[in-house]
Structure formats: C-alpha cells, structure tokens
C-alpha cells in the first residue's frame, strides 16, 4: 500500500482532533460535499472566533496557523485535499474515518449520561 492508501490510525485521528481549529475545519468540510474554498473556510473560522472572547490578533494568528499548520497536517494524513493554487479544500481518502471519530466525540460530549471521569 502506498502512503496515500494507508488507513488512518486511531492515534493519528485523535492527534488531529486535539485542536479546535482542525475540528472546525472537519465540520465545515463535512457540510460541503463538493469542498469549500479557503476564503469560505476562513470566513467560517472567523465567525466562530467572533463568538469567542478573542481579539483580532488571535484571528490573524489563526489564519497563519490555518495555512501553515492545520491544513497541511490534515492533508499529510489524507483527511483533506488542500489545493493551494486553487485555494480549495475537499475531503481526502481518510476524511470519513476522522469525521466519524469527531462525531462520536461530539455525541458523547452532548450526552449527559456518559461519564468521562
């Protein structure tokens, strides 16, 4: 199997889901079956930032992290395809595995009967 055909390990998926920005990216890509532009993704993340107590400097830093850390990390694991020249992001071969884990985590967070202690 080539690197791009390898399955996403649970450890790698969990590492990817640690950062809130990567979780937001996955949720946004899940909402857009044909992919999303980087501009749309930035707007989505800025909207999420505006609802939090962060200032403009934090948003600027997040955009730098988006382009230089978060998107490349998700692409390296084949969770997304990040087309830099076209400025678009679409689902990669391992997207469903990572998104399914994210949905499971979200479900357990919302379920008050689940005791995570």
């Amino acid at each position: 199997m080539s690197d791009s055909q390898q399955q996403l390990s649970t450890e790698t998926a969990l590492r990817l889901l640690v950062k809130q920005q990567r979780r937001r990216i996955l949720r946004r890509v899940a909402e857009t079956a044909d992919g999303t532009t980087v501009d749309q993704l930035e707007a989505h993340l800025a909207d999420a930032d505006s609802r939090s107590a962060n200032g403009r400097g934090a948003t600027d830093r997040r955009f730098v992290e988006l382009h230089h850390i978060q998107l490349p990390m998700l692409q390296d694991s084949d969770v997304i395809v990040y087309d830099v020249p076209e400025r678009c992001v679409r689902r990669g071969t391992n997207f469903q595995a990572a998104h399914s884990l994210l949905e499971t985590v979200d479900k357990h967070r919302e379920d008050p009967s689940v005791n995570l202690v």
Side-chain angles (χ1 to χ4, degrees), residues 64-84:
V64 170
E65 289 176 358
L66 172 70
H67 292 279
H68 296 283
I69 298 171
Q70 313 311 354
L71 292 176
M73 184 178 266
L74 290 166
Q75 179 168 286
D76 287 347
S77 297
D78 288 325
V79 172
I80 63 162
V81 175
Y82 175 31
D83 187 334
V84 177

Side-chain angles (χ1 to χ4, degrees), residues 3-94:
D3 288 342
S4 65
Q5 294 174 327
Q6 289 181 351
Q7 289 185 342
L8 187 67
S9 72
T10 302
E11 182 178 322
T12 299
L14 289 170
R15 183 176 45 84
L16 292 173
L17 297 179
V18 165
K19 290 289 188 178
Q20 183 178 42
Q21 191 176 32
R22 287 193 294 264
R23 295 190 304 268
R24 287 179 177 160
I25 292 166
L26 288 180
R27 288 183 189 110
R28 179 63 184 165
V29 172
E31 294 170 358
T32 55
D34 295 331
T36 186
T37 67
V38 173
D39 293 336
Q40 291 168 335
L41 189 55
E42 287 175 345
H44 175 75
L45 295 172
D47 181 52
D49 283 345
S50 71
R51 291 182 298 219
S52 68
N54 297 322
R56 177 77 180 143
T59 300
D60 291 343
R61 186 183 76 244
R62 282 195 179 85
F63 286 165
V64 170
E65 289 176 358
L66 172 70
H67 292 279
H68 296 283
I69 298 171
Q70 313 311 354
L71 292 176
M73 184 178 266
L74 290 166
Q75 179 168 286
D76 287 347
S77 297
D78 288 325
V79 172
I80 63 162
V81 175
Y82 175 31
D83 187 334
V84 177
E86 294 294 320
R87 294 187 45 84
C88 68
V89 177
R90 5 181 245 291
R91 297 174 188 185
T93 56
N94 289 325

